[in-house]
Amino acid sequence: MRTIPEKIDICIVGAGPAGATTALFLAKMGIPHLLLDKDTFPRDKICGDGLDLKAMRVLNQLDPRLVQALVETPNQYNEAWGARFIAPNGLVNDMLYEPKGTEIPFPMFLTAKRLHFDHFLIQKLDTQYTDLQLNTEVKTIERVSDGVKITMIQGGVTYQTITKLVIGADGDHSVVLRHLSERKIDRKHYAAALRQYHSGIEGMHPKGLLEVYFPKDYPLGYFWIFPLPNGEANVGFGMTSEVIRKKKVNLRVAFADLLKNDPYLAPRFKNAVPLEKAQGWGLPLASRRRKNYGDRYLLAGDAGSLINPLTGEGIGTAMLSGYIAANFAQKALEKQDFSENMFKAFQRETHKRVNKEIFGYQVLTHPFLQGWFNSIINATIKYNRNGLSALPKWLNTAFNVPIEMDYEA
């Protein structure tokens, strides 16, 4: 018996944070839709595993009880009360949030394996409105007279559905992007990274601070240690693809070298235990400002190149873009207008929350300044204390200020 509808108003491809968030808000609006993913859940996803205030803001917009539910699951979610920045010269600057009085009593970050967080979102889907089809691989997408035809395979059987609007939330290798737009890598706005889970790392901060380190020997690269529950940590190293190519960096060799020989890292990893082989993935950065909309389609999350270029964080921006996509889809349904012109403001709305980071990335990667990268980072970490005073405001925005947007181009 056929389980996939022949026609549906909205189809979302990809059920990670961007796609699941889109589905959650569409269901909240009472809008039926189809959600496809080639995998089953829970499943691992290579990532830094950090949930920032953007992610928490979207969760609060959906249901104010959700962040509390994560905090109350300490075996899967770790509280990080700030961040530690380590300069190339070894200087350490801690940004620690210590709420006082009526300030928001939640941490700045949570960390969780995507195995757990993505499944958490899937479990919150409302099956009254969300037709979730897992183990379903989309093969082709093409425009037809009355919409977009999606051909997929599930259990060895080929199905087709026609939708008025397709939302691509299927990651860096997005099939929606390949068929309806163009997937072309710009090395200046693309990064490569490695992740390796460890246990037994020495010197972890008792408040679970996320550590970001800029190794002296690898300018324009950064190393991270993000604490996880059960004494584990997400450890990784990343650089932009342009720098990797120009400097002929072998990322795996560099990663192993840092763990063994770096004066800051080597003592801390001397007795640490790797829990997996280092795994790599690509990061399409928001600095590219990819066109993420068009006639009958929107691109959310990594499919729309929305990773924060300064931090490499992508979960929060993916969830924000999913929320924005759901709202634009609602407006398009109301007007029965799925043209490119209807979605012109979508790109502005998905990018405006990372515009400052895009500007900072453009400054740091400017050819004139690249030779001064270590000096700039040393000075920034030494003198920049402004973030501490802004922390209560950031938390208040995440927990108390509704997300607003402008639909007019």
Side-chain angles (χ1 to χ4, degrees):
M1 182 176 179
R2 184 181 176 90
T3 59
I4 297 177
E6 294 183 359
K7 290 192 175 183
I8 190 78
D9 284 344
I10 300 173
C11 179
I12 306 163
V13 181
T21 299
T22 307
L24 286 163
F25 280 100
L26 286 175
K28 193 172 183 178
M29 299 166 184
I31 299 173
H33 53 280
L34 182 62
L35 176 59
L36 309 174
D37 199 283
K38 64 181 180 180
D39 293 321
T40 55
F41 290 77
R43 57 95 177 96
D44 183 31
K45 178 73 167 62
I46 308 171
C47 180
D49 293 339
L51 304 177
D52 67 356
L53 291 178
K54 291 184 180 69
M56 287 191 244
R57 189 179 186 191
V58 175
L59 290 174
N60 278 302
Q61 188 91 1
L62 182 66
D63 184 341
R65 299 169 294 181
L66 292 179
V67 175
Q68 182 65 45
L70 301 185
V71 170
E72 292 175 352
T73 316
N75 63 320
Q76 294 183 359
Y77 296 86
N78 186 75
E79 297 182 19
W81 290 86
R84 167 171 285 179
F85 300 96
I86 305 96
N89 63 8
L91 179 69
V92 177
N93 186 344
D94 289 349
M95 182 182 289
L96 176 62
Y97 176 59
E98 299 176 287
K100 301 176 180 64
T102 59
E103 292 175 354
I104 303 298
F106 284 95
M108 274 190 67
F109 307 98
L110 292 170
T111 54
K113 293 181 178 181
R114 292 285 296 276
L115 180 79
H116 298 134
F117 182 65
D118 289 15
H119 192 221
F120 170 83
L121 294 177
I122 289 293
Q123 290 176 309
K124 298 297 179 185
L125 294 173
D126 186 345
T127 56
Q128 181 180 353
Y129 297 102
T130 304
D131 183 354
L132 175 63
Q133 299 286 343
L134 300 177
N135 285 315
T136 304
E137 184 177 4
V138 174
K139 304 301 289 185
T140 61
I141 299 175
E142 58 183 308
R143 290 187 176 88
V144 291
S145 60
D146 54 345
V148 175
K149 182 169 71 175
I150 300 175
T151 302
M152 66 205 84
I153 296 178
Q154 182 187 87
V157 180
T158 298
Y159 296 96
Q160 291 184 334
T161 190
I162 294 178
T163 183
K164 296 177 180 177
L165 173 66
V166 59
I167 298 173
D170 48 340
D172 178 32
H173 297 277
S174 170
V175 66
V176 180
L177 175 62
R178 292 201 312 269
H179 283 86
L180 297 183
S181 184
E182 178 188 30
R183 183 183 184 267
K184 184 179 179 181
I185 292 178
D186 183 339
R187 291 181 181 273
K188 184 177 180 181
H189 304 291
Y190 196 87
L194 293 174
R195 179 205 78 184
Q196 187 177 48
Y197 289 129
H198 280 73
S199 65
I201 302 171
E202 297 180 13
M204 305 294 281
H205 194 281
K207 285 287 193 176
L209 300 191
L210 306 187
E211 297 188 46
V212 178
Y213 174 44
F214 301 92
K216 178 180 64 175
D217 295 334
Y218 296 97
L220 292 167
Y222 81 99
F223 190 101
W224 70 85
I225 305 172
F226 290 178
L228 290 165
N230 310 311
E232 298 181 7
N234 182 314
V235 177
F237 180 57
M239 302 181 78
T240 62
S241 296
E242 183 180 59
V243 172
I244 289 173
R245 179 179 59 82
K246 284 184 177 180
K247 296 183 177 293
K248 299 180 180 179
V249 177
N250 183 313
L251 210 59
R252 292 183 183 275
V253 172
F255 182 67
D257 172 61
L258 287 167
L259 293 179
K260 185 177 180 180
N261 299 312
D262 183 87
Y264 177 76
L265 296 172
R268 299 182 60 190
F269 281 85
K270 183 178 180 180
N271 299 312
V273 178
L275 304 176
E276 62 175 351
K277 291 183 179 180
Q279 301 189 62
W281 84 104
L283 293 84
L285 306 178
S287 52
R288 180 177 180 178
R289 297 190 185 277
R290 176 187 294 282
K291 183 185 175 188
N292 59 2
Y293 69 96
D295 184 40
R296 295 190 180 275
Y297 78 90
L298 298 172
L299 300 172
D302 288 9
S305 296
L306 288 172
I307 289 178
N308 185 321
L310 277 186
T311 67
E313 194 283 327
I315 299 175
T317 52
M319 294 178 69
L320 264 173
S321 67
Y323 169 79
I324 295 167
N327 280 272
F328 272 80
Q330 181 189 42
K331 292 293 182 184
L333 277 172
E334 289 175 357
K335 297 182 178 182
Q336 284 298 300
D337 179 2
F338 303 93
S339 66
E340 178 173 324
N341 190 61
M342 175 67 208
F343 301 122
K344 275 189 175 180
F346 179 74
Q347 180 160 334
R348 180 196 64 227
E349 292 301 307
T350 54
H351 281 78
K352 72 182 183 183
R353 277 95 181 170
V354 288
N355 278 336
K356 290 182 180 179
E357 290 89 344
I358 290 174
F359 175 76
Y361 174 79
Q362 290 170 338
V363 170
L364 283 175
T365 58
H366 192 282
F368 178 76
L369 296 176
Q370 284 188 17
W372 295 89
F373 180 84
N374 282 352
S375 297
I376 293 170
I377 296 297
N378 287 335
T380 301
I381 291 177
K382 180 177 181 179
Y383 295 111
N384 185 9
R385 300 278 178 174
N386 295 333
L388 285 173
S389 60
L391 297 186
K393 180 181 178 181
W394 294 348
L395 268 291
N396 182 66
T397 297
F399 283 83
N400 293 322
V401 179
I403 303 169
E404 297 180 351
M405 66 193 74
D406 182 1
Y407 299 96
E408 298 299 322

